[in-house]
Amino acid sequence: MSTFDTLLIANRGEIACRIIRTARDLGLRTVAVYSHADANALHVSMADEAHPIGLAPAADSYLNSDAILEAAKASGAGAIHPGYGFLSENADFARAVERAGLVFVGPSAEAIEIMGNKAIAKAHMLDAGVPCVPGYQGDDQTDATLLSHARNIGMPLMVKAAAGGGGKGMRLVTDLDDLPEALTLARAEGSASFGNGTLILERAVQSARHIEIQIFADHDGNTIALGERDCTVQRRHQKVIEEAPAPGMTRTIRKRMEKAAIAAAQSVGYVGAGTVEFLLDGNGEDFYFLEMNTRLQVEHPVTEMVTGLDLVALQLAVAQGAPLPVSQEDITLSGHAIEVRLYAEDPANGFLPSIGKIHKFETDNIIRIDTGVRSGDEVSPHYDPMLAKLIAYGDTRDEALRKLSQALDNTAVLGVTTNVSFLRDLLDRTEVQNGTATTSFLDDAYPNGPPQTAVTSQTVALSAALLLRSESDKAQAQSLLPDASLAGFSSDGGLPIPLDLSLDGELHSITATSVGTDQITVSGDGWTHNVSSDLRIDGHRTTAHHAPDGMRGLYLQTAGHHLHVTRAQPWATTDATATGALTAPMPGLLVALNVAAGDTVQKGDTLAVLEAMKMQHQLTAAADGVVAALHVETGQQLSKGALILTMEDPT
């Protein structure tokens, strides 16, 4: 192995920033790469130098290995760290890095190749004696063969993209009639995300927990386990809560899992950081190999917190040929750490990604925050919408949970909708508090989706007061007369101001009157509230974060809501502008139209499939009806709100 003093990070966002911090602490020069969309990103400003590598789509930039290698050559980098996602588990990229005379901070291309394909990895693990879930991982990929094996495996079963990861290309099937659609969607996601549509089938293990073992190995063959992480709470196979150690984990099961994980790694001559994932049966005794991630995991911080080790520092040391500085006997787990992933997504709208400008980003410093964004950044439709990871540590699990809950209460992201309120609600659930959640927990806890919090009259009053003060302050700052509707809004009381308010398009007609300089009285349909300048409502303190939207409105986060507050336009209406219309809920590529004009459909039928951020989103009928007309064609790139089709009553 050769040593290096300059490291190129072939990634973006939070993980690029995370790697840069440790590399610089070790005295290494850091080189960032960026797409056109990321020219002003945080990781670009943090690095010692940065190189553009292409257009915004990942295929033209972060997946463009030639451009990344050219940037490495131009910068004089001696090594490339792939982070996670993108090219981190691409064997061809690892080979190309080595052919270029550079160090790839990760395992060998051969290890990546074996473990990166679920079918090959599973066969390899069976040969190595590692317990695996019963299923099918054969070469015959015809629907007829897969259907035949599915009958033998039985329901429920999992359809998985063989080259997949991160929940992409995975579908749970509980009814054999749904298998053809699941195969189509899983193949499409596998091809879009990994360039490989090969599928495997596995029996779905019920009432299971998702436990993974962090392993580390050096070039001398030393392989150790750094304990486990519990990643059971998941949505669409994407991890939501991760913690270490796993609640209720016994020493016996931990040692058995660690032994199996080490055996899995050694069977492929593994070097560096890796994670072997298992399903722990509901009986708490039997476990099955799921996959090995041949890279640094998103959730690695919880392991760092309980072991006191910097996993990135270990990666860089091993990549330069150094032996592991710790042995298995040195590894102890102290305290408890819990992580949640903060996403720009709308839980109330099927968790669809939310894009736009972040007008304010504030977090609580009582916990560790790993992020790649800041106030003023844009959330792009081209990449994963994760904004940050919030990691709390405590001497006990209860302490870690309390700190994480407090931090979420004090976290504000204004301008894009996030899952902050959903995460906060999740932490209060009995199963999470007790550590008894299973992989089906989220579906069971939220059968109709996350709870919807109604906008209260207090929130309307607060919105009105903030908007009026904002308008008044702006008018005074510009030395202009206030808007006509602000006439009488003065410190001596004055006349009530009629105001039509829009909260995310929902209309509220209210009146507001200023009382002195410190209070605004807001009245609506059957209610009245007093809002003070320090945001007390009727004397009671409220937690609220707000920021101007750059136009004439503002963003407000309070009482479980993220709202865009504006004056309602005179033509606005509470009715949908296109009753019976199916529109694109987010920007994306229309990859399928399952209906034609004149077709009769039932509520829940899949009408179209939209691909966004490499995930296939099924757009379903909200009610029975007849397709009146199609307004787009398959293959079109749609903007948010684009009209796809119109419906009419079936009668």
Side-chain angles (χ1 to χ4, degrees):
M1 298 298 298
S2 60
T3 59
F4 50 85
D5 58 14
T6 301
L7 177 70
L8 183 143
I9 299 93
N11 217 296
R12 66 179 299 278
E14 171 269 325
I15 188 57
C17 296
R18 162 72 187 91
I19 295 166
I20 289 171
R21 283 194 295 271
T22 287
R24 297 193 72 180
D25 286 345
L26 296 173
L28 298 176
R29 288 185 66 254
T30 57
V31 180
V33 292
Y34 62 92
S35 71
H36 287 189
D38 279 342
N40 298 313
L42 182 58
H43 76 281
V44 174
S45 64
M46 286 180 62
D48 294 302
E49 76 182 75
H51 293 254
I53 53 171
L55 300 175
D60 297 328
S61 49
Y62 297 107
L63 292 173
N64 186 340
S65 57
D66 290 340
I68 291 170
L69 290 171
E70 188 60 38
K73 180 180 178 181
S75 66
I80 294 180
H81 195 309
Y84 53 70
F86 295 130
L87 295 170
S88 62
E89 293 178 288
N90 186 304
D92 290 338
F93 179 63
R95 288 193 184 95
V97 171
E98 293 173 358
R99 283 198 302 267
L102 306 174
V103 175
F104 179 75
V105 183
S108 68
E110 291 71 26
I112 294 174
E113 211 150 45
I114 293 171
M115 292 302 194
N117 184 295
K118 285 183 172 65
I120 296 173
K122 188 172 180 180
H124 197 85
M125 291 301 99
L126 287 169
D127 290 341
V130 177
C132 296
V133 181
Y136 172 75
Q137 54 275 347
D139 294 331
D140 188 341
Q141 290 287 299
T142 62
D143 280 10
T145 297
L146 292 170
L147 181 60
S148 174
H149 282 280
R151 290 194 184 98
N152 293 332
I153 296 168
M155 298 292 117
L157 63 79
M158 294 299 305
V159 178
K160 297 183 178 181
K168 295 182 175 67
M170 297 179 67
R171 286 292 187 278
L172 174 65
V173 180
T174 57
D175 188 323
L176 204 59
D177 290 341
D178 296 333
L179 183 62
E181 183 176 42
L183 296 176
T184 298
L185 293 170
R187 279 197 189 101
E189 287 182 1
S191 297
S193 298
F194 314 106
N196 187 339
T198 303
L199 302 176
I200 68 170
L201 305 178
E202 288 184 343
R203 189 186 73 196
V205 181
Q206 300 295 289
S207 300
R209 292 170 63 191
H210 188 132
I211 309 293
E212 60 189 30
I213 302 294
Q214 175 71 59
I215 64 96
F216 228 104
D218 62 22
H219 290 277
D220 297 328
N222 301 309
T223 308
I224 63 174
L226 306 182
E228 81 282 357
R229 295 185 289 258
D230 189 318
C231 305
T232 298
V233 180
Q234 301 178 12
R235 185 189 64 78
R236 287 190 64 182
H237 313 293
Q238 295 266 10
K239 298 162 186 173
V240 179
I241 299 176
E242 300 117 342
E243 56 183 305
M249 175 61 69
T250 66
R251 179 178 175 82
T252 300
I253 296 297
R254 176 181 293 130
K255 291 303 179 185
R256 286 176 54 202
M257 278 192 172
E258 288 182 340
K259 183 179 179 180
I262 289 173
Q266 290 178 331
S267 73
V268 293
Y270 199 85
V271 174
T275 299
V276 183
E277 304 196 349
F278 298 98
L279 274 182
L280 179 62
D281 197 284
N283 61 23
E285 294 290 333
D286 299 317
F287 59 86
Y288 307 96
F289 171 83
L290 275 178
E291 64 181 352
M292 182 176 188
N293 290 299
T294 54
R295 52 171 168 80
L296 195 67
Q297 289 280 85
V298 177
E299 58 272 19
H300 76 273
V302 295
T303 295
E304 293 183 323
M305 302 294 274
V306 298
T307 62
L309 298 171
D310 184 327
L311 298 193
V312 175
L314 285 180
Q315 281 188 300
L316 296 174
V318 167
Q320 299 201 65
L324 283 172
V326 292
S327 66
Q328 190 65 64
E329 291 71 28
D330 297 325
I331 304 303
T332 58
L333 307 181
S334 177
H336 203 95
I338 307 177
E339 171 184 300
V340 292
R341 305 183 187 189
L342 175 61
Y343 277 95
E345 62 184 10
D346 186 359
N349 191 22
F351 290 91
L352 289 178
S354 175
I355 63 173
K357 183 178 179 179
I358 301 173
H359 289 264
K360 179 185 284 189
F361 180 44
E362 294 180 348
T363 55
D364 197 318
N365 61 10
I366 67 168
I367 64 170
R368 171 175 167 176
I369 308 292
D370 284 11
T371 185
V373 300
R374 60 203 160 177
S375 297
D377 285 352
E378 294 278 343
V379 179
S380 166
H382 299 288
Y383 314 117
D384 185 275
M386 189 175 78
L387 303 179
K389 301 180 309 197
L390 283 65
I391 311 105
Y393 175 83
D395 291 335
T396 65
R397 186 172 185 269
D398 286 345
E399 181 184 339
L401 277 170
R402 286 195 302 271
K403 286 182 177 178
L404 188 55
S405 297
Q406 181 180 340
L408 283 168
D409 287 338
N410 294 324
T411 294
V413 185
L414 301 177
V416 293
T417 304
T418 71
N419 63 340
V420 166
S421 296
F422 168 66
L423 293 174
R424 187 63 187 84
D425 182 79
L426 196 56
L427 292 186
D428 283 340
R429 295 280 171 162
T430 300
E431 294 86 344
V432 174
Q433 288 283 321
N434 296 341
T436 57
T438 67
T439 50
S440 62
F441 161 65
L442 278 186
D443 289 336
D444 296 338
Y446 302 101
N448 301 312
Q452 304 302 304
T453 305
V455 175
T456 65
S457 59
Q458 288 89 344
T459 298
V460 175
L462 180 63
S463 300
L466 285 170
L467 185 63
L468 287 171
R469 289 191 184 280
S470 173
E471 291 178 344
S472 180
D473 291 346
K474 185 181 297 183
Q476 292 179 23
Q478 296 176 348
S479 299
L480 298 174
L481 288 174
D483 184 272
S485 63
L486 288 175
F489 191 71
S490 61
S491 61
D492 59 356
L495 300 174
I497 304 164
L499 177 64
D500 288 328
L501 202 65
S502 171
L503 274 62
D504 279 351
E506 182 178 306
L507 304 186
H508 299 269
S509 295
I510 56 95
T511 58
T513 307
S514 65
V515 180
T517 58
D518 296 326
Q519 185 170 286
I520 296 175
T521 298
V522 183
S523 299
D525 185 11
W527 55 264
T528 297
H529 295 295
N530 297 313
V531 183
S532 63
S533 58
D534 61 356
L535 304 187
R536 292 178 185 269
I537 301 175
D538 300 329
H540 299 287
R541 184 179 174 221
T542 184
T543 299
H545 305 270
H546 56 95
D549 65 0
M551 296 175 288
R552 297 191 64 187
L554 57 88
Y555 290 101
L556 170 65
Q557 183 177 309
T558 186
H561 290 287
H562 176 274
L563 299 168
H564 188 200
V565 182
T566 61
R567 283 179 176 269
Q569 300 298 328
W571 58 83
T573 173
T574 56
D575 297 327
T577 55
T579 301
L582 176 69
T583 59
M586 60 184 295
L589 178 69
L590 187 66
V591 296
L593 269 172
N594 296 349
V595 293
D599 285 355
T600 299
V601 299
Q602 295 182 320
K603 180 180 180 180
D605 286 352
T606 300
L607 305 179
V609 179
L610 191 70
E611 182 177 293
M613 298 182 179
K614 298 184 181 179
M615 296 290 283
Q616 305 273 323
H617 301 278
Q618 295 165 268
L619 308 183
T620 58
D624 296 348
V626 176
V627 179
L630 302 179
H631 300 274
V632 292
E633 297 179 353
T634 301
Q636 281 187 242
Q637 183 71 36
L638 305 182
S639 58
K640 181 179 180 180
L643 182 62
I644 297 174
L645 57 84
T646 47
M647 301 278 294
E648 57 189 15
D649 290 336
T651 55

